[in-house]
Structures are given as structure tokens and as C-alpha cells.
Amino acid sequence: MDLGLAEDHFSRPMGSFVASDIEQLKLAIEECKKLILELPEHSERQKDTVVKLIHLRLKLQELKDPEEDEPNLRILLEHRFSKEKSKSVKQTCDKCSTIIWGLIQTWYTCTGCYYRCHSKCMNMITKPCVRSKVSHQSEYELSICPEIGLDRQDYRCAECRTPISLRGVPSEARQCDYTGQYYCMTCHWNDTAIVPARVIHNWEFEPRKVCRSSMRYLALMISRPVLKLKEINPLLFNFVEELVEIRKLRQDILLMKPYFITCKEAMEARLLLQLQDRQHFVENDDMYSLQDLIDISSGRLSCSLTEIHTTFAKHIKLDCERCQAKGFVCELCKEGDILFPFDSHTSVCHECSAVFHRDCYYDNSTTCPRCARMTERKQDDDVKDA
């Protein structure tokens, strides 16, 4: 058969070969592959034949998936698919696991979970959008690789129910370290991710193999503060010094917050916005995101948070007269500089929030002077009312 190696199959071919016929294209591709094997290796003719084989395959794909007027937005199983305009970026379809040829194929990306697929594969999608799970159920699996066994899965993929086995017949069974379940090669591409359970229980950050849906879920959850370490694994603070340091910095920042929300200069300078990427740091001191723990392990969070802490303390103690005026004098020794609750050498009364030198407060066996004063005043008021 004449392969028409001098022809351009992106235009209508001339001669004995009619490229518009899909069966003839398939036959031409097979003949072309045989010819490549027969020709001298690295010869110019072999190289030209390889190029022509690529053209033939692209033409065949174009005929199988013709360009249509596809809608720009499609909603399916809570996915919000947006039509992609990029023609040059090489992607892989999450449904069929084949390459997306952006030059000749229409493809979509979910704006929620970044699921990518051919237009022709959309009607075969069975997995709902992972972002909906994040919105409705923002929590992690906190058991390390909770395997139930392939037999409990009926030797089928946990997601698409394709028959699988550990021997690879008919399809290889791949375990997801996050869910503990087994998946087929279409649903598990051997992607890796840091698994929250291993971080919390073992302080281990080595990426593990996870299925596609787990990879997307972990990527969407990574910045969400859903881990309450002191309840999940309080002993972690005994073994990881960096966690203790970060907890102290966060506690100090919470003590600084009331100064800023009542200070005009601080509000104008938008000081608290320095923590806008970790909003939970100005709301509580016990919730962590997985990204927080990753940054603590690398030392990145300690550096950035210490710098912010220094900036905040400088505003309150040196730069702003209004904030300075809200400081305390130790009523037990009545000596020393103005004290603030976030100072390292101070103690705070849990009842009235008065601030004292740490040595004075712990050495003095009497009650807090401010609390005693407030109690006496309340008793006087009660007597007057009587």
C-alpha cells in the first residue's frame, strides 16, 4: 500500500490513499509501523516515516474526536468543568489515562478539583468532585494506611470497581497509603503526597503513593486548619521542640490582638494582615493545617512567625503611645519597666488579666492585688445597695 510519505495528512491527501476513511488510516498506520522496523536504523527515510506515522495518528484521532461547538461550562456530579483554550500544554486525561492533544481535541478542567478530561470522556465520569467532599466533610483519615484487604474489596478497584489483583491480572492492584484501599492503574497513577496520619503520629513527612482522588483531596485540604493536635496526639509536643516554640508564638500573638483591634494606627497599617495566609493564627492557638506542620518541620514557619511576632511587639512597646499606655506595672514589687502579657518574663492573672513579674507572682502567696481590690469594691457596692 502506498503510504503517501510525501503527503501532508493535515490537509486532504491526494492519490491512492484517502485519509478521510478511518479504516484506511488504521491500515496505513500498521503498514507504516512495519516499514519503520524494516528500514535501516537511524536512516533519513526511517526518520521521515516516524514523522509521517505521528501525522497519521493525529489525523486518526482528529477523525475520532472531531472539533465541535462545545459549551464553555459544563456541570456534572458537582464538577464545574471549564473548557480549556490552551493548545500547547501537554496533559493527561484523568478518565482514560491517555494524552490530551490540545491541538486537535476539546478538553475540560474542573475549577474545583482540577480534574482534567477529554470532552468525549465526560459522560463516562463516575467520581463526584472532591471539593464537595472538602466543603461538607473537612476532616482527615487519621489512621495510618487503614487497610481492609483486597478480598474485602471483592478484588475490585475501590473507585471504579474494575477487577484487580496483586499479580497484575487482569489489572495491577495499587494501594493508596491514605485510604488503605486498592485501586486499578487508571485510578492510581503512583502519585505521591504527604499523609497526615503519618505526620501526626510519627512526625514523618516522606511522600507516599496515593490514588488520584486522595491526591486531589489532600491538595485541597492542605491549608485547612482542621488538626487539633493537643486532642489527637498531645505527646507530640514532648518530642517536637519546634511545635512548643510555635505554640508560644501563637499564644503571644493572640495576646497582642486586642491591642491591634483597638488601635487606629495598627488598623491603618493593617498589621494583622501579615497573617492573612494563616487566618487561624489570630483566632486560636490549637488548630493546625497540614501545611503548618510541613512548614514547622522545614523551619520555614518558625522564621516567618518570629519576624511577625517581633514586628507586632515593636509596634505595641515602642512605636505606638496608645498601645504603650495599655501596659501594666507589677503591683507586687512596683518596680521595673511597663509589662505586657506577651513578655517572656511575666505571668498573667487568670481572673482579671493583670500582669506581674513571673518571679513576683509565683513567690507571693497572697491573692492578686487587683482581684482583691475588685472584690472589695463589689462588696462595698452590695452594702450600699442593701
Side-chain angles (χ1 to χ4, degrees):
M1 184 180 194
D2 180 13
L3 295 176
L5 296 179
E7 298 172 3
D8 178 9
H9 287 288
F10 286 107
S11 59
R12 183 176 180 80
M14 305 292 292
S16 61
F17 176 65
V18 182
S20 59
D21 188 290
I22 291 180
E23 292 304 319
Q24 281 189 321
L25 263 177
K26 290 180 178 179
L27 185 59
I29 287 172
E30 291 303 317
E31 292 288 342
C32 197
K33 289 195 292 188
K34 292 179 182 178
L35 182 58
I36 289 172
L37 296 175
E38 295 172 358
L39 290 171
E41 193 171 359
H42 304 305
S43 65
E44 289 299 321
R45 194 179 176 197
Q46 188 190 50
K47 293 178 182 178
D48 291 339
T49 308
V50 170
V51 172
K52 187 52 60 179
L53 175 62
I54 295 172
H55 288 179
L56 289 169
R57 283 177 166 170
L58 286 173
K59 185 63 179 178
L60 178 62
Q61 187 64 46
E62 181 181 3
L63 292 176
K64 286 183 175 181
D65 186 29
E67 185 75 17
E68 299 177 357
D69 292 330
E70 299 280 1
N72 290 326
L73 182 66
R74 297 176 67 174
I75 299 177
L76 179 68
L77 295 176
E78 297 185 320
H79 291 282
R80 292 181 61 85
F81 285 107
S82 176
K83 186 177 179 181
E84 292 291 347
K85 297 180 173 57
S86 174
K87 301 295 183 181
S88 59
V89 179
K90 184 178 178 181
Q91 301 289 354
T92 303
C93 177
D94 281 304
K95 180 58 186 176
C96 66
S97 304
T98 60
I99 294 175
I100 298 174
W101 297 97
L103 188 65
I104 59 175
Q105 293 177 310
T106 304
W107 60 292
Y108 288 80
T109 299
C110 175
T111 57
C113 66
Y114 308 108
Y115 187 101
R116 299 182 182 90
C117 70
H118 296 103
S119 173
K120 64 181 181 180
C121 295
M122 291 189 66
N123 291 333
M124 296 183 287
I125 295 174
T126 57
K127 188 70 176 177
C129 181
V130 176
R131 184 171 286 277
S132 63
K133 180 181 177 182
V134 173
S135 301
H136 301 137
Q137 183 186 355
S138 295
E139 59 184 18
Y140 287 118
E141 169 59 62
L142 296 179
S143 298
I144 296 177
C145 195
E147 181 180 4
I148 61 172
L150 194 53
D151 57 334
R152 291 281 298 276
Q153 292 183 209
D154 198 25
Y155 294 92
R156 292 181 178 274
C157 171
E159 186 169 320
C160 69
R161 307 305 295 166
T162 298
I164 55 176
S165 74
L166 295 176
R167 292 182 296 177
V169 180
S171 179
E172 178 188 357
R174 295 178 176 177
Q175 188 177 35
C176 172
D177 195 80
Y178 175 68
T179 64
Q181 295 179 306
Y182 290 89
Y183 299 81
C184 66
M185 292 184 291
T186 301
C187 299
H188 193 317
W189 295 4
N190 284 332
D191 299 300
T192 59
I194 295 174
V195 179
R198 294 187 180 274
V199 173
I200 294 169
H201 296 296
N202 298 339
W203 201 242
E204 178 191 326
F205 294 86
E206 180 184 354
R208 300 282 180 154
K209 292 181 180 180
V210 296
C211 67
R212 296 291 290 174
S213 58
S214 293
M215 183 194 69
R216 291 194 195 89
Y217 182 74
L218 293 173
L220 291 172
M221 285 285 290
I222 194 167
S223 297
R224 290 185 172 243
V226 297
L227 299 171
K228 200 166 188 177
L229 293 186
K230 68 180 183 181
E231 290 185 0
I232 302 171
N233 185 11
L235 293 178
L236 199 59
F237 289 92
N238 296 339
F239 296 95
V240 183
E241 294 181 1
E242 294 87 347
L243 273 175
V244 178
E245 178 189 357
I246 294 300
R247 181 175 60 182
K248 179 62 171 69
L249 290 172
R250 291 183 62 177
Q251 289 170 347
D252 287 350
I253 288 172
L254 288 178
L255 293 172
M256 296 176 184
K257 180 181 176 181
Y259 290 85
F260 294 146
I261 61 178
T262 57
C263 175
K264 182 179 179 181
E265 292 180 12
M267 296 297 286
E268 290 176 352
R270 298 176 177 242
L271 290 177
L272 288 176
L273 285 182
Q274 293 186 37
L275 287 168
Q276 60 181 341
D277 293 334
R278 303 183 199 266
Q279 185 65 32
H280 52 289
F281 279 19
V282 294
E283 295 173 353
N284 58 69
D285 64 356
D286 56 358
M287 300 300 292
Y288 294 82
S289 68
L290 182 59
Q291 188 63 58
D292 292 338
L293 303 182
I294 294 171
D295 291 342
I296 289 172
S297 176
S298 67
R300 189 162 52 246
L301 182 56
S302 178
C303 293
S304 62
L305 200 59
T306 299
E307 185 177 339
I308 291 172
H309 182 281
T310 302
T311 301
F312 286 2
K314 181 174 178 291
H315 170 85
I316 295 172
K317 301 177 70 173
L318 299 176
D319 297 342
C320 179
E321 292 184 358
R322 290 188 182 90
C323 292
Q324 289 179 45
K326 296 174 185 175
F328 293 81
V329 174
C330 178
E331 293 189 48
L332 296 174
C333 69
K334 297 182 173 58
E335 295 178 356
D337 299 329
I338 297 175
L339 304 178
F340 294 89
F342 50 84
D343 287 332
S344 59
H345 60 286
T346 61
S347 292
V348 179
C349 174
H350 297 296
E351 298 295 330
C352 67
S353 299
V355 181
F356 308 93
H357 290 115
R358 179 173 295 171
D359 294 338
C360 296
Y361 190 66
Y362 286 122
D363 290 343
N364 196 298
S365 59
T366 60
T367 58
C368 165
R370 190 181 184 193
C371 287
R373 200 164 53 248
M374 292 170 65
T375 302
E376 184 179 350
R377 188 180 301 129
K378 184 179 179 181
Q379 290 175 349
D380 290 343
D381 291 340
D382 292 340
V383 170
K384 290 178 181 179
D385 293 338

